[in-house]
Amino acid sequence: MTPIEGPLDWYKDAVIYEVRVRSFYDGNGDGQGDLAGLTAKLDYIADLGVTAIWLLPLCLSPGRDDGYDTEDYEKIDPAVGTLEEFHALIQAAHARGLKVITELVLNHTSDRHAWFQRARRASKGDPDRDWYVWSDDDKRYGDARIIFKDFEASNWTWDEEAKAYYWHRFYHHQPDLNFDHPPVREAMLRVVDFWFALGVDGLRLDAVPYLYEREKTSCENLPETHAFLRDLRASADARWPGRMLLAEANQWPEDAVRYFGSGDECHMAFHFPLMPRLFMAMRREERKPITEILARTPDIPESCQWALFLRNHDELTLEMVTHEERDYLWREYAKDPQARLNLGIRHRLAPLLQNDRRRMELINALLFSFPGTPVLYYGDEIGMGDNLGLGDRNGVRTPMQWSPGRNAGFSEADPSALVLPLVTAPEYHWQTVNVENQRRNESSLLNWMRRLLALRGKHPAFGRGRIEFCDAGSEHALAFVREHGEDRVLCVFNLSRYTRPLPLDLSAWKGMTPVELFGGVRFPVIGDERWNLSLGPRGFCWFTLKVEVP
Ligand code: NOJ
């Protein structure tokens, strides 16, 4: 067992890089990304300046939901590698100071899982059957919404073998486990031990709001789910101090914070509602969507942390917005109807922002400034495009673009054997948009991201500080100070397309000298008057606030 190095709450200062292993780098030339390939690319990841990697599902799976359909929780899918290779990856990551976060898909399994095969054959009353949720009719739990609404018409599917319906919140081939059945809870605690024993530093709890079902409820966020999470946390803390649990709960802030409990459930939770509002603020060129949702976000326990993101391997979900806001975001960001999926938009970051460098910088700077731990989706650091011609969410899961060489440097295989086709749309073609080209160009997005990350890493206020908003004299601007002990960072953003004067009220920091972080240039001392700054179109600045020693 590898002991955790450094602070136990490492996740508070982290920047997480999300990797689809199958699309990252092919180590054995079969056309699929794999663990050996990822290990070979760890220097790239460490050099980017992130501190942790989150790996999409690795377990044995038929792959009908990209591995979120688990066939065996204790086997690595042979397509991505072996347990030995996983072990080597962990060692190599830790040697570079990178933490490793993997998936814990606890709500459901694949219908191929031995537990389900056993359950469907077991007769009624046999405890083996109770590992899943069965019903004689498909009307139970009728208040639960359908999540994959573009694919499934019901949360129940008839099973001929069992002669009953089984419950599933996602695809029909992903039956939900029955958490009311004690052996299921025990089995999941063993799965957690299995992965922590392998040395992983954190687990992302997939689809965690849906563990239990109760009549006349939405079957989300139920008290029973929180009770189980407290047990899981207690069990993990007892054996694995310093390991982190991250809740994937696509919920409103007041429900999402409950996944922290009183510091006794998950250490982290994704802030889903902030994400679409960043895109809304960008489009409307005003700060209100952001400040409103942050004001609505309750304080969280001291030991906890939000995970913040712009994009990930799924569609950009619009579940946490009103109907009007969803229509607006669809209209503005998914002009091509093909881009819409379920309640979201299946684009990567660069195409969402019209491949506009200023916008990409601005939205990343916002992400990296708010209280929480930023999560970066692989490929977005070089502005990769997507492919709407691929089904489901595959268009945002295409191979990483490493170089202008064969298969974008992703694989030595025959191009027809690639896990997914490379992006060839002219504007995002892999021959142009790739790591090698951007490494050479000092002004590339990749190098800009590296600088941004390096600067952020020097200031604990970003991960740990409180946030104090300042009046910036315009609804098109956003300004705040992040403060942690003596470390203070003033962040100012001009969301509009025009240059603006921004008279900032910094009276609380009177006498301090703002020093711009990228260039180290000293600005005038903050005095009695408004502190005047002008920012160009969609510009932003980070300043450290220095106390002048007389
Ligand atoms: C959330 C995951 O991010 C998504 O990719 C998956 O399809 C569902 N959970 C079901 O596991």
Side-chain angles (χ1 to χ4, degrees):
M1 189 219 313
T2 3
I4 291 284
E5 283 180 27
L8 293 186
D9 60 355
W10 55 269
Y11 47 88
K12 288 191 143 193
D13 306 299
V15 176
I16 301 174
Y17 187 69
E18 179 190 355
V19 184
R20 180 177 193 253
V21 179
R22 289 170 168 81
S23 290
F24 202 59
Y25 185 60
D26 175 10
N28 65 1
D30 67 353
Q32 293 238 19
D34 46 39
L35 292 170
L38 172 58
T39 307
K41 291 294 187 186
L42 284 177
D43 283 338
Y44 166 80
I45 295 177
D47 179 64
L48 194 55
V50 302
T51 64
I53 47 177
W54 152 29
L55 311 183
L56 294 184
L58 304 171
C59 288
L60 183 69
S61 155
R64 296 176 71 189
D65 184 12
D66 212 25
Y68 286 99
D69 43 339
T70 316
E71 188 172 335
D72 190 326
Y73 287 98
E74 300 190 358
K75 287 204 177 104
I76 301 263
D77 199 301
V80 295
T82 62
L83 270 178
E84 288 68 41
E85 284 166 335
F86 183 69
H87 192 69
L89 169 74
I90 297 265
Q91 302 279 315
H94 286 169
R96 288 163 178 79
L98 294 169
K99 305 283 183 194
V100 180
I101 301 163
T102 57
E103 292 280 345
L104 178 68
V105 186
L106 72 180
N107 177 66
H108 47 268
T109 68
S110 159
D111 56 4
R112 285 222 215 142
H113 197 293
W115 298 339
F116 186 71
Q117 291 304 325
R118 197 176 59 193
R120 67 203 292 227
R121 291 193 188 108
S123 42
K124 280 189 185 164
D126 182 334
D128 282 350
R129 189 173 169 103
D130 295 338
W131 280 61
Y132 293 83
V133 182
W134 301 101
S135 172
D136 290 334
D137 70 69
D138 60 356
K139 300 286 171 290
R140 284 171 74 199
Y141 312 134
D143 295 332
R145 70 196 166 113
I146 293 167
I147 298 168
F148 283 173
K149 58 188 273 313
D150 284 1
F151 302 97
E152 300 291 341
S154 166
N155 286 326
W156 292 106
T157 289
W158 177 254
D159 186 61
E160 212 24 64
E161 180 93 35
K163 296 271 181 287
Y165 292 94
Y166 61 89
W167 178 250
H168 55 88
R169 292 308 301 268
F170 296 93
Y171 284 121
H172 62 278
H173 54 76
Q174 288 165 304
D176 275 32
L177 284 160
N178 175 16
F179 275 80
D180 277 318
H181 192 45
V184 168
R185 301 198 295 270
E186 288 154 21
M188 264 317 143
L189 298 190
R190 281 197 299 276
V191 171
V192 170
D193 281 341
F194 176 83
W195 287 92
F196 281 154
L198 282 172
V200 308
D201 304 285
L203 290 170
R204 169 188 179 272
L205 275 45
D206 181 69
V208 71
Y210 318 115
L211 303 189
Y212 286 83
E213 300 74 34
R214 292 290 180 265
E215 214 53 83
K216 302 219 172 344
T217 73
S218 64
C219 298
E220 299 183 18
N221 314 321
L222 295 178
E224 292 82 352
T225 296
H226 290 286
F228 171 72
L229 288 177
R230 284 191 293 276
D231 289 349
L232 193 160
R233 172 67 180 268
S235 158
D237 276 358
R239 298 198 55 196
W240 314 105
R243 311 298 172 99
M244 182 274 286
L245 302 172
L246 163 58
E248 193 235 354
N250 189 352
Q251 301 289 332
W252 290 98
E254 47 279 20
D255 293 318
V257 286
R258 292 175 51 214
Y259 288 86
F260 298 121
S262 47
D264 55 357
E265 293 189 28
C266 294
H267 307 77
M268 297 186 76
F270 286 103
H271 200 313
F272 275 93
L274 175 63
M275 182 273 297
R277 285 169 182 81
L278 290 173
F279 288 95
M280 210 179 323
M282 292 285 296
R283 197 69 193 170
R284 289 199 179 142
E285 302 181 19
E286 58 182 41
R287 67 161 177 270
K288 207 165 143 206
I290 298 173
T291 46
E292 269 180 0
I293 202 70
L294 290 180
R296 187 177 161 178
T297 302
D299 289 340
I300 62 176
E302 177 57 31
S303 60
C304 297
Q305 179 81 322
W306 289 111
L308 312 178
F309 64 105
L310 299 171
R311 289 298 296 112
N312 61 22
H313 62 290
D314 290 327
E315 70 276 26
L316 187 165
T317 162
L318 300 176
E319 279 166 273
M320 291 304 122
V321 292
T322 62
H323 289 284
E324 293 74 31
E325 290 168 335
R326 186 177 308 136
D327 284 343
Y328 173 77
L329 286 163
W330 261 334
R331 207 166 51 238
E332 296 299 328
Y333 284 104
K335 296 214 159 49
D336 181 343
Q338 271 204 91
R340 299 181 188 188
L341 182 75
N342 299 318
L343 285 185
I345 304 172
R346 51 195 199 109
H347 267 314
R348 263 189 182 268
L349 187 65
L352 281 167
L353 301 178
Q354 296 162 14
N355 209 14
D356 175 344
R357 177 72 182 268
R358 271 182 199 263
R359 283 184 233 213
M360 284 191 266
E361 290 188 5
L362 178 60
I363 202 165
N364 273 297
L366 285 165
L367 178 79
F368 281 84
S369 304
F370 290 124
T373 288
V375 183
L376 194 64
Y377 185 48
Y378 86 94
D380 283 349
E381 75 276 24
I382 55 170
M384 261 172 68
D386 49 40
N387 183 350
L388 292 182
L390 302 175
D392 199 349
R393 292 150 289 173
N394 284 337
V396 302
R397 298 172 177 179
T398 60
M400 180 68 179
Q401 298 168 189
W402 293 103
S403 78
R406 181 188 176 90
N407 294 328
F410 162 71
S411 169
E412 288 294 311
D414 185 297
S416 63
L418 294 194
V419 59
L420 285 169
L422 292 162
V423 171
T424 52
E427 202 177 345
Y428 302 97
H429 199 287
W430 54 270
Q431 283 180 337
T432 317
V433 179
N434 61 62
V435 172
E436 192 180 305
N437 289 355
Q438 294 203 16
R439 263 204 175 138
R440 272 197 228 117
N441 181 347
E442 241 180 69
S443 314
S444 65
L445 181 63
L446 175 64
N447 281 321
W448 182 83
M449 289 292 288
R450 288 176 61 235
R451 281 196 288 279
L452 188 76
L453 277 157
L455 289 175
R456 190 183 188 277
K458 288 192 189 136
H459 291 277
F462 282 118
R464 294 177 183 262
R466 51 194 199 91
I467 185 167
E468 197 77 51
F469 289 96
C470 331
D471 183 46
S474 163
E475 65 195 2
H476 302 290
L478 177 66
F480 49 81
V481 174
R482 302 294 316 281
E483 198 159 1
H484 179 68
E486 293 301 293
D487 187 30
R488 298 176 195 88
V489 185
L490 165 65
C491 310
V492 192
F493 306 89
N494 174 12
L495 299 167
S496 92
R497 71 188 76 178
Y498 303 116
T499 302
R500 287 188 183 272
L502 302 173
L504 296 169
D505 178 0
L506 297 179
S507 41
W509 296 274
K510 187 178 155 190
M512 294 188 190
T513 306
V515 180
E516 200 276 331
L517 281 190
F518 279 80
V521 175
R522 296 172 80 81
F523 274 60
V525 173
I526 301 165
D528 289 319
E529 308 291 308
R530 291 246 168 177
W531 195 75
N532 284 308
L533 180 71
S534 298
L535 283 180
R538 300 194 168 99
F540 86 98
C541 273
W542 279 351
F543 301 91
T544 171
L545 297 182
K546 287 247 160 68
V547 183
E548 292 300 340
V549 193

